Each structure stands twice: as C-alpha cells, then as structure tokens.
Amino acid sequence: MPRLYVVATPIGNLSDISPRALQILRDCDLIAAEDTRVTRALLNHFGIDTPCVSNHQHNEERRAASLPQRMIDENLTVAVVTDAGTPAISDPGSVLVREAAELGIEVLAVPGPTAMASALSVSGFDTREFAFYGFLPRGGKELTQKLLAMKRSGVPVGVVHESPHRVIELVRAIAGTLPGCRVSASCDLTKLHEKTIRGTADEVLAMLEENEKAEKGEYCLVLDMSGVALEEEKPVVQASPEAQLVEALMQGCDWREAGERLSAQGMKRNDIYRARMAVQRFFEQMTEEEDEDDE
C-alpha cells in the first residue's frame, strides 16, 4: 500500500532529527527532496542510501502530476523533505501532499523541527493565538499594506521569515508602520551561534544596525501587535452618480466625456444613463425657475 510521509528535518542542529524520521528515511523507497544535494549530505551523515528525486518550488507541479501515480503503480513509499524544517510550511511539499491525497494515498506526518515553532517558543510573548505569514512583500506600499492588514486581522501575534540581507529594512518598516509593536528576532536557530533579540521594533532595529554580523543567518521574527494602536480608517464617502456627473461637467467635460469618466470607474451604463436624465431634468427645472423669475 503506497504511503507518503511528510518528514521534518533539522533546521540547524543535526541532533534534532527524530529516530522515527531516520527510520522512515531508511525504509522508504524514494525521497522527494527540495534540494537533493542538501538532503544527500544529511543522509550521508546518518549512513542512509535511499535514492532521491528533486521536488522544489519550480518543479513541484510537474513532479506532483506524476509521482503519486507512480507510487500507486509501483506500490512505493515516499518521504518528502525540504532543506530544513517541515515540508509545506513556507516550503515545497503542499502540492505533492494534495495530489497524493486526492488519489487516495495515505499521507502521514513525521513531526519535528520548524523555525516558526522554535521562534515562538523563545519569544516570551503570549502565543496562544498567532498567525504565520512566511515571507512578506519586499517593501514599499505592498509591505505597508500587509503589515496593516496583519494588525487589523485581530490576531495579536504574527510570525514571519526574512533573509539576513533584508531583515533591517523589514524591522524598519515594522517600526514605522506599527508603532508600539514588540519584536522577537531569532537568527541561526538551533545552531552554534543561535541568537534572539527582543524589544520594541525601534529597539530591535537599533540592535540589528549595531551588529556587524546581522546579515548572516536566516531570521524568524515574532511580532507582538497587541500594544499597537492604529488610527481608525475613515470611511470613504462615495459621491452619487449625479454628483460625479455634475463635477465632470463643471471641469469642462461634455456629456459623452462625463459618461466615459464614470464608465471607467466601473459604473454600469444604465446607472450612468439614469444619472444623466436626472441631472438634465434638474438643469431644465433650474432654467424654468429662472425664466419664471425673469417674468
């Protein structure tokens, strides 16, 4: 009976791999690995010679289209792994799991290390409720909007990944967008030089800027947004179609140009027509009243 095992591997310290994970990697018929070179180094360390195939973000759709059927045809047991941590958690694996499950293949978890859980556990924050966001947008307006959306979601704690070369810019954006946010930034988790710094976003930013080695090692950041107070969003008051038509006419548009302007904003043709009729009637009434006054 074919099975797919989702196997967590160490995020740094090789001693963190579980005996069960090692047994599965030894006994399975094939290992689907994010990078076969990285996985082969791990397997060699533990004397495991199970064959590997690649399953990374660029080929997973193609791999997932064929491997599950092969598992059924050849009655294969397969383990899916990533370079570090748990597959499908901000890493490849979810597509293969989905396709295997849809074909009726049993999918089993072999739990173990994840940077997310490790960073949460050492943050010192109240982590009873949190959301995982993986890698955030690179910067600019998109990053700002994402950070605001995280706060407005109502979930007090968020977990994100960031590369060492961009972590300072990310924390700077957090400090500017979410004033009062507390940050726990963990680097090189489980490795020899593991380090976690905590404080307000401004304090963590200062520590990162002062650290000459800040650009070495992957980061996992935990954001405690419970103390962040944002200004309430002011509701956008949408002017009526009639008012928008009048405004366009006052700006020098003719009726056709005014109608095209409303159409470009997504307004339906029938609504534009009704608005035009209403405005024209209003102008006609105004003209009639002025004529009466002249008499």
Side-chain angles (χ1 to χ4, degrees):
M1 179 179 178
R3 284 181 174 175
L4 177 65
Y5 287 96
V6 183
V7 181
T9 55
I11 59 176
N13 193 319
L14 295 183
S15 299
D16 289 338
I17 196 165
S18 71
R20 182 183 174 214
L22 289 175
Q23 192 64 50
I24 295 296
L25 295 176
R26 285 194 183 96
D27 294 346
C28 68
D29 300 301
L30 189 66
I31 297 173
E34 179 180 6
D35 186 327
T36 55
R37 296 165 298 181
V38 174
T39 298
R40 180 52 57 195
L42 174 69
L43 298 177
N44 289 341
H45 179 82
F46 291 102
I48 299 172
D49 58 3
T50 306
C52 297
V53 295
S54 64
N55 184 73
H56 49 72
Q57 62 176 337
H58 302 296
N59 78 344
E60 187 173 15
E61 290 285 351
R62 176 166 50 83
R63 182 69 70 195
S66 60
L67 184 55
Q69 188 59 54
R70 179 186 170 192
M71 293 171 65
I72 293 174
D73 294 341
E74 301 178 26
N75 192 28
L76 298 178
T77 295
V78 173
V80 57
V81 300
T82 56
D83 294 348
T86 302
I89 307 299
S90 199
D91 270 326
S94 61
V95 179
L96 185 56
V97 168
R98 182 193 69 209
E99 295 299 318
E102 288 183 356
L103 287 180
I105 296 173
E106 187 176 19
V107 181
L108 300 172
V110 183
T114 68
M116 171 184 65
S118 300
L120 282 165
S121 70
V122 299
S123 68
F125 300 153
D126 183 347
T127 59
R128 287 174 292 180
E129 184 180 10
F130 67 89
F132 176 64
Y133 296 96
F135 287 91
L136 299 183
R138 283 186 171 269
K141 184 178 180 181
E142 192 177 1
L143 175 57
T144 298
Q145 290 176 337
K146 184 62 177 181
L147 290 170
L148 291 173
M150 288 166 57
K151 167 57 184 174
R152 289 169 178 149
S153 72
V155 180
V157 173
V159 186
V160 303
H161 289 320
E162 189 52 273
S163 71
H165 305 294
R166 301 189 59 83
V167 68
I168 289 178
E169 289 303 315
L170 174 59
V171 177
R172 183 175 291 120
I174 293 169
T177 308
L178 303 176
C181 180
R182 294 190 299 158
V183 175
S184 174
S186 296
C187 176
D188 281 333
L189 283 162
T190 78
K191 297 179 181 178
L192 180 62
H193 300 292
E194 174 179 345
K195 185 177 182 64
T196 296
I197 54 178
R198 308 169 186 83
T200 66
D202 287 319
E203 291 168 343
V204 170
L205 176 60
M207 286 185 273
L208 289 172
E209 290 176 331
E210 293 172 1
N211 180 9
E212 295 180 355
K213 298 182 179 180
E215 293 190 357
K216 295 182 179 180
E218 297 294 325
Y219 281 83
C220 190
L221 284 71
V222 182
L223 280 57
D224 179 4
M225 299 172 284
S226 60
V228 175
L230 298 177
E231 293 183 7
E232 291 188 10
E233 291 184 288
K234 296 180 180 179
V236 177
V237 179
Q238 184 67 42
S240 68
E242 293 81 3
Q244 293 182 63
L245 267 180
V246 171
E247 181 181 4
L249 293 170
M250 293 177 65
Q251 292 174 353
C253 295
D254 58 26
W255 286 107
R256 180 184 60 80
E257 292 170 337
E260 289 176 351
R261 180 181 293 189
L262 269 62
S263 179
Q265 296 174 9
M267 192 173 298
K268 295 180 180 179
R269 183 177 299 178
N270 289 342
D271 292 336
I272 296 173
Y273 176 78
R274 283 192 289 267
R276 175 173 175 173
M277 292 298 100
V279 173
Q280 286 181 327
R281 285 195 299 270
F282 174 76
F283 286 164
E284 290 170 358
Q285 291 173 0
M286 291 289 292
T287 302
E288 291 174 359
E289 291 177 2
E290 289 176 358
D291 291 341
E292 291 176 0
D293 290 340
D294 290 341
E295 293 176 0

